Amino acid sequence: MSNLTHIDQDGNAVMVDVSPKEVTERIATARGQVSMSPETLNLIKVGDVKKGDPLTVAQLAGIMGAKKTPDLIPLCHPLALTSVKVTLELNEQDYAVDIEATCKLKGRTGVEMEALTAVSVAALTVYDMLKAAEKSMQITNIRLVHKAGGKSGDYTAQ
């Protein structure tokens, strides 16, 4: 269990003490996708979703989700995010909405969970906005694609 930073030597869950860490610029980018039928994708494309524009609503929801990450993930630190960018694009080839979120700050701990939460909340919002048209949509491939800063250095997904 020594490799798990959120577990102490007795197996108890702990919030990591980041006070000894140096303040550095941290950035993380996550991506995900909401797959749907061609008909549902077309509803977004032509602007015929009764609840409104799902991409705009999901973008705002993703930003809010990043800011609320420590309220949702028990051992996450509350962070003073300096930037949250969430983009959603129609992927007509795969009949999907592609989602990307990038979070930044200058601090003692990373923003991977915030980026992943932003993508997850945006994807759930897309689903919520469109569920009346299609309940079989799938939220897939939510993953960290890049992180920079901090003791562990940079990471870029293959």
Side-chain angles (χ1 to χ4, degrees):
M1 283 208 252
S2 63
N3 292 336
L4 300 176
T5 59
H6 289 77
I7 305 289
D8 69 13
Q9 64 273 10
D10 298 323
N12 298 308
V14 294
M15 187 175 198
V16 174
D17 181 2
V18 297
S19 58
K21 293 183 175 185
E22 291 196 30
V23 172
T24 61
E25 185 169 83
R26 318 281 185 127
I27 184 170
T29 300
R31 290 187 186 136
Q33 189 175 68
V34 183
S35 300
M36 60 194 65
S37 69
E39 294 79 18
T40 302
L41 187 73
N42 193 56
L43 290 175
I44 303 169
K45 189 176 176 182
V46 300
D48 196 23
V49 179
K50 297 200 185 320
K51 286 186 172 185
D53 177 14
L55 303 185
T56 300
V57 175
Q59 180 184 36
L60 292 172
I63 293 167
M64 292 172 64
K67 293 166 40 174
K68 291 291 191 177
T69 299
D71 295 333
L72 301 169
I73 311 296
L75 300 176
C76 283
H77 292 83
L79 301 178
L81 296 169
T82 56
S83 175
V84 178
K85 181 180 178 186
V86 178
T87 59
L88 294 96
E89 293 181 3
L90 296 181
N91 178 335
E92 295 186 61
Q93 179 179 339
D94 294 335
Y95 305 114
V97 174
D98 293 336
I99 305 167
E100 181 175 283
T102 299
C103 296
K104 295 181 184 179
L105 63 63
K106 288 187 180 180
R108 290 183 161 89
T109 190
V111 289
E112 297 93 337
M113 294 308 300
E114 286 70 17
L116 287 162
T117 300
V119 169
S120 299
V121 170
L124 289 166
T125 302
V126 168
Y127 186 95
D128 180 58
M129 296 286 291
L130 296 166
K131 68 183 182 231
E134 180 182 351
K135 296 191 181 1
S136 63
M137 290 176 288
Q138 294 183 16
I139 296 170
T140 62
N141 300 321
I142 296 173
R143 69 215 177 273
L144 181 70
V145 295
H146 179 75
K147 73 135 283 335
K151 183 179 170 184
S152 66
D154 293 358
Y155 164 81
T156 300
Q158 298 298 332

